[in-house]
């Protein structure tokens, strides 16, 4: 089996939203597919009403195929400080023409303010590894893990785009969606993430710099978060760019010229790595609050996290294969 679903960017490509249907008859929700976590949770009929502002909720009592997972609860918090928690139902979940008959659907009883304020997202679908699923007492499998054995190929692909809809495909690699070759590198899923190491980077037309970047491919993070020395190297090439503590990162004039940023994939012994080039204009993330002339950079420091995060800013410059069958990740230009 294989399937394909369109995914649509929010403002400034802050997140990408994909429609899933849950239950019988189907209840359609718009969710954020997040390779940086492993819980499928949704706003629900059980969510504290003051914490629901415009989201569509899943109501298991209206689904003939819903069954509560007795005694199961979950609580999750994300790197950006947001959080949610609740109880668990098993129900049919369909996405892109593929269905899991008994998917653990984590129903929120409470969500933090960030989720309440985001009227576009009705929940998250974690496509990380089940080892970090937060359901207790028994961890639950992700949608992809439940699908995997039945897929033609044990893969899903992310084809996110700048300011326009892209696609998540499951079970196949669409050879018409990218240019050149896909370069695959091993992943380290020990921490439950799609962890991988880039051999280095280049700023604009500059030389390749051999500096290993250990990170995760995370569709649930908006920006590209890298070691502070690389980030400083990039913004040295942006006229007037500076680090502003009260903005929480590097800012620059919204009309400034921005160099491309390229990161390496793979490292043929002695040869040069394949490069994924992020166009400079993608690095202009958005005007900072209250200004129309000062803009916030899409490349920022990973200082307080310890690993780098190849978020949407990096992913939307590539066609990315999350290969669960061979525990590897593949990157191609497009
Ligand atoms: C410091 C970084 C900040 C951004 C963090 N990303 C997330 O929290 C992604 N996410 C998932 C659900 N809601 C948000 C990763 C750490």
């Amino acid at each position: 089996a294989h399937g394909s679903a369109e995914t649509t960017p929010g403002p400034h490509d802050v997140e990408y939203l994909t429609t899933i249907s849950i239950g019988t008859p189907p209840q359609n929700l718009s969710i954020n597919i997040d390779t940086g976590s492993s819980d499928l949770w949704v706003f629900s009929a059980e969510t504290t009403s003051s914490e629901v502002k415009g989201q569509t909720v899943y109501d298991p009592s209206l689904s003939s195929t819903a069954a509560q997972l007795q005694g199961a609860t979950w609580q999750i918090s994300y790197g950006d400080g947001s959080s949610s928690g609740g109880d668990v139902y098993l129900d049919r979940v369909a996405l892109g023409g593929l269905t899991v008959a008994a998917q653990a659907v984590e129903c929120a009883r409470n969500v933090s303010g960030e989720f309440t304020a985001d009227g576009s997202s009705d929940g998250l679908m974690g496509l990380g590894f089940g080892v970090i699923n937060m359901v207790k007492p028994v961890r639950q499998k992700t949608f992809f893990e439940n699908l995997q054995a039945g897929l033609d190929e044990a893969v899903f692909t992310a084809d996110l785009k700048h300011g326009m809809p892209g696609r998540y495909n499951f079970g196949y690699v669409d050879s018409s969606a990218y240019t050149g070759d896909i370069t695959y590198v091993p992943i380290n899923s020990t921490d439950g993430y799609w962890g991988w190491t880039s051999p280095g980077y280049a700023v604009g037309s500059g030389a390749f710099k051999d500096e290993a970047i250990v990170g995760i491919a995370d569709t649930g993070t908006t920006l590209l978060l890298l070691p502070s020395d690389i980030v400083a190297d990039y913004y040295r090439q942006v006229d007037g760019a500076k680090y502003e503590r009260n903005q929480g990162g590097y800012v620059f004039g919204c009309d400034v010229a921005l160099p491309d940023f390229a990161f390496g994939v793979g490292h043929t012994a002695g040869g040069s790595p394949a490069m994924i080039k992020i166009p400079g204009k993608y690095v202009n993330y958005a005007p900072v609050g209250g200004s129309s002339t000062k803009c916030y950079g899409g490349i920022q420091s990973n200082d307080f996290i310890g690993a780098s995060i190849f978020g949407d800013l990096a992913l939307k410059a590539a066609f990315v294969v999350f290969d669960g069958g061979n525990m590897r990740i593949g990157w191609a230009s497009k």
Side-chain angles (χ1 to χ4, degrees):
H2 59 269
S4 179
E6 189 171 79
T7 190
T8 301
H12 310 295
D13 299 347
V14 63
E15 61 188 358
Y16 289 77
L17 295 152
T18 308
T19 300
I20 63 169
S21 73
I22 311 175
T24 313
Q27 300 179 41
N28 291 337
L29 275 70
S30 176
I31 54 91
N32 182 355
I33 290 180
D34 176 17
T35 58
S37 67
S38 302
D39 287 62
L40 168 55
W41 73 262
V42 291
F43 278 77
S44 74
E46 300 172 346
T47 309
T48 305
S49 48
S50 63
E51 296 174 355
V52 184
K53 290 210 170 71
Q55 292 82 6
T56 298
V57 305
Y58 163 61
D59 185 347
S61 73
L62 302 180
S63 171
S64 61
T65 42
Q68 183 162 8
L69 187 59
Q70 288 313 328
T73 60
W74 60 283
Q75 180 65 41
I76 194 165
S77 52
Y78 299 97
D80 67 357
S82 59
S83 62
S84 51
D87 49 26
V88 186
Y89 286 76
L90 298 179
D91 207 346
R92 296 178 70 73
V93 171
L95 187 158
L98 294 163
T99 298
V100 170
Q103 171 67 43
V105 180
E106 302 172 33
C107 292
R109 282 195 172 279
N110 49 70
V111 302
S112 63
E114 296 85 353
F115 290 114
T116 300
D118 181 357
S120 312
S121 173
D122 306 325
L124 261 73
M125 174 184 273
L127 293 187
F129 293 88
V131 63
I132 55 170
N133 176 266
M134 302 302 280
V135 174
K136 296 190 175 10
V138 180
R139 261 196 274 280
Q140 301 298 302
K141 287 188 168 65
T142 69
F143 181 73
F144 177 62
E145 287 170 333
N146 282 326
L147 277 178
Q148 196 163 321
L151 291 175
D152 300 342
E153 294 177 52
V155 303
F156 65 92
T157 65
D159 182 9
L160 305 183
K161 297 193 180 193
H162 181 62
M164 63 176 81
R167 274 191 176 275
Y168 284 104
N169 295 338
F170 294 81
Y172 72 110
V173 175
D174 177 357
S175 57
S176 71
Y178 60 89
T179 59
D181 296 326
I182 301 174
T183 302
Y184 287 94
V185 293
I187 60 122
N188 173 352
S189 64
T190 313
D191 297 340
Y193 304 117
W194 291 87
W196 71 289
T197 299
S198 163
Y201 70 99
V203 177
S205 54
F208 177 77
K209 300 190 178 173
D210 242 314
E211 180 172 335
I213 304 169
V214 178
I216 67 169
D218 181 3
T219 59
T221 290
T222 309
L223 304 182
L224 172 55
L225 306 175
L226 295 173
S228 49
D229 62 298
I230 296 179
V231 178
D233 193 8
Y234 178 81
Y235 286 114
R236 263 196 292 279
Q237 330 244 338
V238 178
D239 291 344
K242 58 188 195 317
Y243 182 89
E244 282 191 9
R245 207 161 57 93
N246 55 22
Q247 297 294 353
Y250 285 86
V251 297
F252 42 75
C254 294
D255 51 8
V256 78
L258 290 163
D260 300 338
F261 180 86
F263 58 92
V265 184
H267 211 317
T268 42
S272 58
M275 299 297 282
I276 297 294
K277 181 176 286 190
I278 301 171
K281 74 181 178 91
Y282 287 17
V283 183
N284 185 337
Y285 170 56
V288 300
S291 167
S292 61
T293 56
K294 186 185 284 188
C295 276
Y296 191 72
I299 296 174
Q300 297 292 350
S301 166
N302 72 355
D303 262 358
F304 32 91
I305 330 169
S308 291
I309 301 193
F310 294 86
D312 297 334
L313 180 69
L315 297 165
K316 65 183 164 182
F319 177 84
V320 188
V321 183
F322 293 80
D323 185 340
N326 299 299
M327 296 305 266
R328 61 182 188 168
I329 188 167
W331 297 80
S333 296
K334 60 189 182 191

